[in-house]
Amino acid sequence: MNVPTIADLIAKGETPEILFWVGCAGSFDDRAKRVTKAFVKILNAVGTKFAVLGNEETCTGDPARRAGNEFLFQMQAMNNISILNGYNVKKIVTACPHCFNTLKNEYPELGGNYEVIHHSTFINQLINDGKIKMTEGGSFKGKKITYHDSCYLGRANNIYEAPREVLESLDADLVEMKRCRTTGLCCGAGGAQMFKEPEKGDKDINIERAEEALATGATTIAVACPFCMTMMSDGVKNKEKEGQVNVKDLAELIAETQGL
Amino acid sequence: MAYLQQVLFLIVLAIAGYFIRKRVIRIKSNILLGKASVINDHKGDRLKNMMLVAFGQKKMFKRVVPATLHFFIYAGFLIINLEVLEFIIDGLAGTHRIFAPYIGGLYNVLMNFFEFLAIAVLFSCFAFLIRRNITKVPRLQSPELNGWPRLDGNLILSIEIILMFAILTMNASDQILQTRSEHYTATGSLFFSSFLIPLLQNISTPSLEFIERFMWWFHIIGILGFSVYITYSKHLHIFLAFPNTFYARLEPKGQIVNMPVVTREVKSMLGLPTTEVPAGEPGRFGAKDINDLTWTNLMAAYSCTECGRCTSECPANITGKKLSPRKIMMDVRDRMEDVGKSLEKGGAGLNDGKSLLGDYTTKEEINACTSCNACVEACPVMINPLEIILEMRRYVSMEESGAPAQWNSMFQNIETSFAPWKFSPSDRFNWSKEDK
Ligand code: SF4
Ligand code: SF4
């Protein structure tokens, strides 16, 4: 696995095509780190010239803003923007819909203007361009997969089809949950809920959603967000189905079929 | 005698006008309690939203059955009101069916079409009453609807049924009278109301004249009374849905509104140049009360139809948490009405010791929101409850430092470790060195 930092590349007089924004979950959470690595392997395999910020990256400020702490959000944003602008970054790809949304929609007003791409769109593009060659009848052929829409990709940014196209390229049997696309049910982690206990209720949101996903009979629940990953995995565990049902990120599924 | 009717009509019209005007002024000043914000961009897109969503009912059709029933009532409302124009002219001029001679055969076609709509409205209102009270559609049963909101919904449907019935009875007696007296302009046969003719056939001419007049008055007073009534009701949406969709946000749903005040402060803290001139009044950070929200947020509350589509899609609400985005909108409206009433009486208004957050909406509700935008997506009139929820969170977090303890530790982690979890920032890149 080859992961250049932008500082190293520039020191060598090179400029990356894209900056891979890893995000806090992708950097620290064990499960999400596997997605980060899978995505890097894909980038390596197709030969995309990319770089990461490494230790210079910090939280985008998304959870602070959504929990109401606008000061903290803007402090984070301004610092990140000055680093990104300092490296003259033009194009960013990220595997986290929350980072994606913040970088794409919320940084411009504070002086950070970049082309921001979510990894589902990016991978779909690689497949369409023939850079990733999907063979018919791969290991997912005929297997039931269901896709859980991340609110921050779907409703927040209207990205519904790219992740589905990636899954369809697996030659799998894509089954939809009753609540999907615009009416998809949140995993329960957005809006900074990831960082606190839920309020009192009858049920946790991720359990409700996991039940719905399991009801499709799919053996793989595909996600495209590190928070959805945690919430859906916990839900599946709670239903004691972790033996039969996998929760996987799109990048992992592609890396797997490509033998990376 | 004829003049007496005209004078009476003028008085009725004036009374209705007086009350409507008074309410319109009240509602407008309530909305203007909100913060000013100038919206004059993207007029084309805004117009398109208004035409598709408010006029064309686009978002309603996500749920086909209620949308179709609602469409009948909506079309009935728009088109039958053309007939009200004739009522008003007749009422003031002392004429009868003044348009009939001018448009000839078309009059019969139009009247038949109006009657068809009246029947469609009748049918839909009955169906809605059944949905509300017998089959009990879940989103119409929530606790926030107890009391006035539920009564309001049923009252409107019942009033519409009675009004439609009055029109049909009036037309039926009119048709009989046409055969008995020169005074009644020939309209040709009217399909739906002619079913009522057998019931009225044997009534004496004077009684029938009385019935015809009575139904005429009943209908027009009903309509005028209804116009006053809707200013107190969720039915205000029939007017406000138009400006509300026009002024709805066009930015991606995930984007949270920026706070330029904070930008200025953060920039000066970081020693970055700030070009913006400091605003005169710093105001509060976030929203504690309605005057901290924008006028568009407040107008949205008056546009809310209390349909509960937002709440029925809300993951927090679905899993039994206290949050209901519809209730948030109703709270904002209740607060506006309370403040408005107080101001009207020369009372304390906003300074009555109460506030939106705390007395109407609780922290428990706003803390449960996942900012998933399901409510925003679902709302048929493009209301954004999430924006209001987030403004209240801003107030709690920045003015009160009252965010949940776990959020406060998350804030601290971001400040010290630059990640929401307590990891050492120097470990951020370790993943690249672990296995391959
Ligand atoms: S954004 Fe908040 S209030 Fe709206 S549906 Fe989602 S959780 Fe409920
Ligand atoms: S906010 Fe919109 S969806 Fe919710 S009750 Fe009001 S009109 Fe219906």
Side-chain angles (χ1 to χ4, degrees):
Chain A
M1 202 169 65
N2 171 28
V3 207
T5 62
I6 193 158
D8 289 345
L9 270 196
I10 286 179
K12 282 195 274 177
E14 292 172 42
T15 44
E17 221 176 285
I18 55 162
L19 179 94
F20 171 30
W21 184 276
V22 184
C24 298
S27 304
F28 292 115
D29 178 85
D30 285 330
R31 183 66 189 86
K33 280 198 270 186
R34 275 157 52 198
V35 178
T36 306
K37 290 173 212 165
F39 186 57
V40 166
K41 285 174 194 167
I42 294 173
L43 292 174
N44 285 164
V46 298
T48 305
K49 193 156 184 194
F50 76 101
V52 296
L53 285 175
N55 281 343
E56 286 187 276
E57 190 187 287
T58 73
C59 177
T60 58
D62 156 90
R65 181 172 241 193
R66 267 138 265 268
N69 194 336
E70 183 73 7
F71 270 102
L72 184 53
F73 163 72
Q74 293 208 14
M75 288 292 287
Q76 285 302 116
M78 302 269 190
N79 280 323
N80 284 324
I81 289 168
S82 77
I83 289 172
L84 291 166
N85 290 353
Y87 285 123
N88 202 14
V89 168
K90 294 271 177 292
K91 201 167 164 182
I92 302 176
V93 61
T94 175
C96 174
H98 297 268
C99 297
F100 168 74
N101 177 68
T102 304
L103 294 166
K104 178 173 183 282
N105 299 321
E106 297 182 349
Y107 277 24
E109 257 172 306
L110 303 172
N113 292 287
Y114 320 103
E115 183 191 347
V116 189
I117 309 164
H118 185 251
H119 81 322
S120 56
T121 311
F122 191 81
I123 292 174
N124 191 35
Q125 198 60 49
L126 292 176
I127 295 171
N128 290 341
D129 292 349
K131 293 199 180 128
I132 297 177
K133 288 192 186 55
M134 302 300 293
T135 44
E136 266 179 46
S139 51
F140 286 97
K141 188 176 166 60
K143 290 216 179 115
K144 268 195 186 170
I145 294 187
T146 190
Y147 172 66
H148 164 74
D149 283 284
S150 150
C151 307
Y152 272 79
L153 265 197
R155 276 190 297 266
N157 288 292
N158 282 317
I159 300 180
Y160 297 107
E161 297 315 319
R164 288 183 167 79
E165 283 172 29
V166 170
L167 293 171
E168 273 155 16
S169 77
L170 294 171
D171 214 7
D173 178 12
L174 186 59
V175 283
E176 294 288 356
M177 289 180 249
K178 194 163 159 258
R179 289 176 283 208
C180 63
R181 295 195 170 86
T182 52
T183 57
L185 186 77
C186 177
C187 71
Q193 298 298 334
M194 185 73 189
F195 306 101
K196 72 165 182 52
E197 287 301 314
E199 321 305 313
K200 264 204 323 304
D202 307 328
K203 202 191 235 182
D204 284 346
I205 296 171
N206 65 327
I207 306 293
E208 170 86 8
R209 187 55 163 170
E211 284 170 358
E212 196 173 10
L214 294 172
T216 62
T219 49
T220 301
I221 301 171
V223 295
C225 167
F227 293 168
C228 298
M229 169 72 86
T230 307
M231 298 310 264
M232 296 307 281
S233 305
D234 287 353
V236 170
K237 242 177 250 156
N238 182 283
K239 296 276 139 192
E240 297 178 347
K241 282 279 190 295
E242 67 271 33
Q244 298 104 286
V245 178
N246 293 314
V247 183
K248 291 252 166 91
D249 186 272
L250 298 176
E252 294 180 294
L253 294 170
I254 293 298
E256 221 172 279
T257 51
Q258 298 289 303
L260 300 171
Chain B
M1 177 65 195
Y3 284 119
L4 184 66
Q5 285 211 23
Q6 280 165 263
V7 171
L8 261 177
F9 185 77
L10 193 66
I11 293 171
V12 168
L13 206 59
I15 293 174
Y18 170 78
F19 282 112
I20 293 172
R21 180 169 175 272
K22 198 167 152 217
R23 275 300 284 168
V24 168
I25 292 173
R26 177 80 264 147
I27 290 168
K28 192 174 162 205
S29 54
N30 282 356
I31 291 175
L32 292 180
L33 289 172
K35 284 199 287 192
S37 81
V38 186
I39 302 173
N40 53 14
D41 59 330
H42 296 90
K43 291 215 174 72
D45 295 334
R46 295 182 179 283
L47 212 59
K48 202 171 124 201
N49 269 344
M50 189 172 89
M51 291 317 283
L52 283 177
V53 179
F55 190 70
Q57 309 266 297
K58 181 176 163 219
K59 294 188 83 180
M60 280 298 285
F61 277 90
K62 287 183 175 174
R63 299 194 188 186
V64 179
V65 175
T68 311
L69 296 172
H70 180 268
F71 186 78
F72 284 139
I73 298 182
Y74 165 70
F77 174 82
L78 282 185
I79 299 164
I80 295 177
N81 276 341
L82 287 176
E83 201 185 352
V84 173
L85 187 67
E86 189 182 39
F87 270 66
I88 291 180
I89 298 174
D90 281 343
L92 288 175
T95 47
H96 184 67
R97 297 194 183 270
I98 187 152
F99 291 162
Y102 294 102
I103 55 178
L106 187 63
Y107 193 81
N108 175 263
V109 177
L110 273 179
M111 283 301 137
N112 266 307
F113 182 56
F114 290 166
E115 285 199 351
F116 162 74
L117 281 171
I119 293 289
V121 171
L122 263 178
F123 172 77
S124 306
C125 289
F126 273 117
F128 277 150
L129 278 176
I130 292 171
R131 278 167 61 84
R132 274 180 180 268
N133 303 292
I134 299 174
T135 61
K136 306 217 168 192
V137 174
R139 70 184 152 92
L140 302 175
Q141 303 305 318
S142 317
E144 68 250 29
L145 294 183
N146 290 345
W148 166 246
R150 181 161 294 119
L151 180 65
D152 182 22
N154 282 329
L155 268 179
I156 290 159
L157 293 170
S158 311
I159 295 173
E160 295 220 32
I161 289 175
I162 297 172
L163 289 179
M164 292 306 117
F165 190 71
I167 272 215
L168 293 171
T169 313
M170 182 191 87
N171 280 351
S173 34
D174 192 299
Q175 278 178 82
I176 304 172
L177 288 167
Q178 286 168 31
T179 64
R180 299 187 190 172
S181 152
E182 294 264 294
H183 171 77
Y184 291 89
T185 320
T187 56
S189 166
L190 302 174
F191 182 75
F192 290 102
S193 57
S194 60
F195 286 104
L196 292 173
I197 290 179
L199 292 175
L200 303 164
Q201 196 71 282
N202 299 324
I203 297 175
S204 70
T205 302
S207 308
L208 209 53
E209 280 174 353
F210 177 78
I211 292 177
E212 194 275 340
R213 275 300 86 187
F214 181 82
M215 290 301 165
W216 187 92
W217 277 96
F218 186 86
H219 188 258
I220 190 69
I221 291 180
I223 294 237
L224 293 173
F226 192 65
S227 315
V228 177
Y229 173 86
I230 58 171
T231 65
Y232 292 94
S233 145
K234 75 192 185 82
H235 263 59
L236 208 46
H237 78 265
I238 53 188
F239 297 110
L240 289 183
F242 290 87
N244 197 64
T245 47
F246 184 82
Y247 289 110
R249 284 188 70 207
L250 299 171
E251 288 81 12
K253 290 195 192 69
Q255 180 183 342
I256 290 183
V257 194
N258 193 39
M259 291 179 71
V261 205
V262 173
T263 311
R264 214 175 296 128
E265 278 199 38
V266 170
K267 278 191 174 165
S268 66
M269 268 161 68
L270 296 173
L272 296 168
T274 52
T275 43
E276 302 96 315
V277 274
E281 180 89 35
R284 267 179 202 141
F285 291 125
K288 179 189 189 191
D289 212 342
I290 48 170
N291 56 328
D292 303 318
L293 297 167
T294 63
W295 68 271
T296 46
N297 295 142
L298 301 189
M299 183 175 67
Y302 272 127
S303 327
C304 175
T305 73
E306 294 169 18
C307 66
R309 288 172 183 233
C310 51
T311 295
S312 71
E313 299 279 340
C314 173
N317 190 274
I318 288 172
T319 54
K321 283 136 191 112
K322 281 232 177 79
L323 173 61
S324 159
R326 166 173 55 190
K327 178 178 171 291
I328 304 285
M329 299 316 299
M330 293 168 71
D331 290 343
V332 172
R333 182 173 179 159
D334 287 350
R335 176 68 182 147
M336 276 194 289
E337 283 289 306
D338 289 350
V339 170
K341 255 182 243 152
S342 162
L343 288 176
E344 219 157 46
K345 291 199 202 103
L350 283 163
N351 304 318
D352 60 355
K354 290 190 183 170
S355 57
L356 175 64
L357 181 65
D359 295 296
Y360 295 76
T361 307
T362 60
K363 278 195 208 175
E364 180 178 350
E365 293 166 67
I366 60 163
N367 284 346
C369 173
T370 68
S371 73
C372 69
N373 270 300
C375 53
V376 185
E377 180 78 43
C379 181
V381 289
M382 299 186 87
I383 290 170
N384 190 328
L386 173 57
E387 204 172 283
I388 297 172
I389 293 173
L390 290 169
E391 286 302 328
M392 289 195 264
R393 280 194 186 170
R394 282 176 166 169
Y395 173 78
V396 173
S397 170
M398 292 190 283
E399 295 272 354
E400 287 190 328
S401 304
Q406 286 174 304
W407 275 355
N408 282 329
S409 2
M410 179 259 290
F411 296 152
Q412 212 164 27
N413 291 337
I414 295 181
E415 262 176 60
T416 53
S417 318
F418 311 117
W421 296 283
K422 207 176 179 66
F423 287 110
S424 162
S426 58
D427 290 343
R428 185 176 272 271
F429 198 34
N430 286 1
W431 60 269
S432 68
K433 286 151 235 151
E434 297 160 8
D435 59 61
K436 293 179 277 90

